[in-house]
């Protein structure tokens, strides 16, 4: 399973994305969050996704499916989705989105499919289960399994909701990608919709005790707000000392 981070930022984008990093990746000039699975399934499509795919050299026509985590524009931008859909292809681009948002979702050249939490769907070799998330904009997290590897993608969202937590029980994830919007401090007002580093520290022991993660699980943080964190190098260093990984744009992980 190949996972490429097409973007790792919250919505406070660096102005350098319009100049120095307009056509390349930079660890401190993060693009709108997203993840590319095996170079054809894209999770989220925001402001910078088409540009990120171009930097990676992935033809837009190779994208068969887009999974939407929620309807905020840095994750769901119809104009960007339609650029992908308009690329030459044999079948329509499939866009998967929360069922409550699907009926109002008008996209050209796309097949829009509604999702319901805890109801799994098959995408080729993958079984993908949408899970309720603690955020706004019809939010979903995603559990991805191919019969061998298990991945959880949880950006945006704070903590884990009860049904999601119990679904993940004893899954022994190979990789867990968590919202890391807020930096290493307490008292931020975003605690009801985004994780801070102290919140993640509190969750990890319970996730281990409940069998969601174990000593083999890679725990990555994405959806980073640059204005709420120190530099990538500084943040990566102290997270690594705690057994955590900090994602960056263009990062490829094979599990």
């Amino acid at each position: 399973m190949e996972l490429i981070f097409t973007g790792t930022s919250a919505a406070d984008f660096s102005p350098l994305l319009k100049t120095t990093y307009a056509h390349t990746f930079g660890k401190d000039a993060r693009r709108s969050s997203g993840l590319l699975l095996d170079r054809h399934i894209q999770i989220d499509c925001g402001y910078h996704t088409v540009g990120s795919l171009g930097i990676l050299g992935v033809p837009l026509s190779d994208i068969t499916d887009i999974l939407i985590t929620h309807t905020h524009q840095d994750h769901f931008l119809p104009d960007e989705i339609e650029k992908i859909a308009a690329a030459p292809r044999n079948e329509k681009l499939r866009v998967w989105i929360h069922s409550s948002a699907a009926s109002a979702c008008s996209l050209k050249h796309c097949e829009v499919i509604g999702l319901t939490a805890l109801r799994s769907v098959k995408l080729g070799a993958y079984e993908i289960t949408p899970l309720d998330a603690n955020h706004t904009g019809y939010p979903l997290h995603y559990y991805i399994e191919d019969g061998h590897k298990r991945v959880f993608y949880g950006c945006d969202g704070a903590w884990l909701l009860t049904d999601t937590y119990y679904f993940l029980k004893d899954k022994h994830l190979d990789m867990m990608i968590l919202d890391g919007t807020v930096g290493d401090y307490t008292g931020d007002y975003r605690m009801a919709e985004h994780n801070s580093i102290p919140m993640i520290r509190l969750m990890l022991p319970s996730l281990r005790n409940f069998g969601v993660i174990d000593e083999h699980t890679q725990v990555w943080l994405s959806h980073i707000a640059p204005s709420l964190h120190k530099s990538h190098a500084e943040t990566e260093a102290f997270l690594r000392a705690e057994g955590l990984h900090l994602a960056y744009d263009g990062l490829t992980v094979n599990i």
Side-chain angles (χ1 to χ4, degrees):
M1 188 185 297
E2 181 191 65
L3 304 167
I4 304 176
F5 289 85
T6 54
T8 57
S9 185
D12 55 340
F13 304 117
S14 169
L16 293 176
L17 289 175
K18 296 181 179 180
T19 55
T20 307
Y21 295 102
H23 304 292
T24 189
F25 292 127
K27 292 182 178 179
D28 287 306
R30 300 173 182 273
R31 295 166 171 261
S32 50
S33 286
L35 190 74
L36 181 62
L37 173 62
D38 285 349
R39 295 181 178 255
H40 75 95
I41 299 173
Q42 175 70 35
I43 300 180
D44 280 342
C45 186
Y47 297 110
H48 308 112
T49 304
V50 170
S52 293
L53 293 172
I55 294 170
L56 291 167
V58 176
L60 299 183
S61 56
D62 286 0
I63 306 301
T64 59
D65 298 87
I66 298 178
L67 302 168
I68 301 298
T69 61
H70 63 296
T71 57
H72 293 168
Q73 287 189 329
D74 55 323
H75 296 258
F76 173 70
L77 197 61
D79 287 350
E80 291 290 282
I81 293 173
E82 288 175 359
K83 290 175 185 177
I84 296 175
R89 58 183 63 247
N90 294 325
E91 297 181 355
K92 283 187 176 181
L93 175 70
R94 292 183 293 267
V95 177
W96 305 78
I97 191 169
H98 195 294
S99 58
S100 296
S103 60
C105 183
S106 178
L107 291 167
K108 298 175 183 177
H109 313 298
C110 297
E111 179 184 0
V112 179
I113 306 168
L115 294 170
T116 301
L118 299 175
R119 293 186 183 177
S120 301
V121 297
K122 291 286 289 185
L123 268 69
Y126 292 100
E127 182 174 287
I128 297 178
T129 306
L131 301 168
D132 281 325
N134 190 22
H135 198 62
T136 57
Y138 306 108
L140 293 170
H141 292 328
Y142 290 104
Y143 169 78
I144 304 164
E145 183 174 4
D146 66 357
H148 303 283
K149 301 295 183 179
R150 300 169 174 178
V151 173
F152 172 81
Y153 186 82
C155 305
D156 291 20
W159 308 104
L160 291 174
L161 293 178
T162 302
D163 286 347
T164 296
Y165 188 43
Y166 276 88
F167 173 85
L168 293 172
K169 180 178 181 290
D170 295 326
K171 287 291 190 290
H172 298 292
L173 298 171
D174 294 281
M175 185 172 180
M176 189 173 206
I177 304 167
L178 291 171
D179 178 303
T181 301
V182 183
D184 191 14
Y185 62 91
T186 58
D188 194 277
Y189 71 91
R190 300 169 185 83
M191 59 80 62
E193 60 178 349
H194 291 294
N195 293 325
S196 66
I197 303 302
M199 290 163 65
I200 291 169
R201 289 192 185 106
L202 286 173
M203 284 193 285
L204 292 178
S206 294
L207 294 172
R208 292 189 186 99
N209 289 341
F210 219 166
V212 179
I213 61 176
D214 58 27
E215 66 274 16
H216 303 295
T217 305
Q218 297 183 40
V219 180
W220 289 85
L221 305 190
S222 187
H223 202 272
I224 303 299
S227 61
L228 304 178
H229 285 264
K230 295 181 179 180
S231 70
H232 177 89
E234 292 173 289
T235 304
E236 182 182 47
F238 82 76
L239 288 177
R240 187 188 306 117
E242 300 185 34
L244 298 169
H245 305 278
L246 182 61
Y248 54 86
D249 295 9
L251 169 69
T252 299
V253 180
N254 288 285
I255 61 169

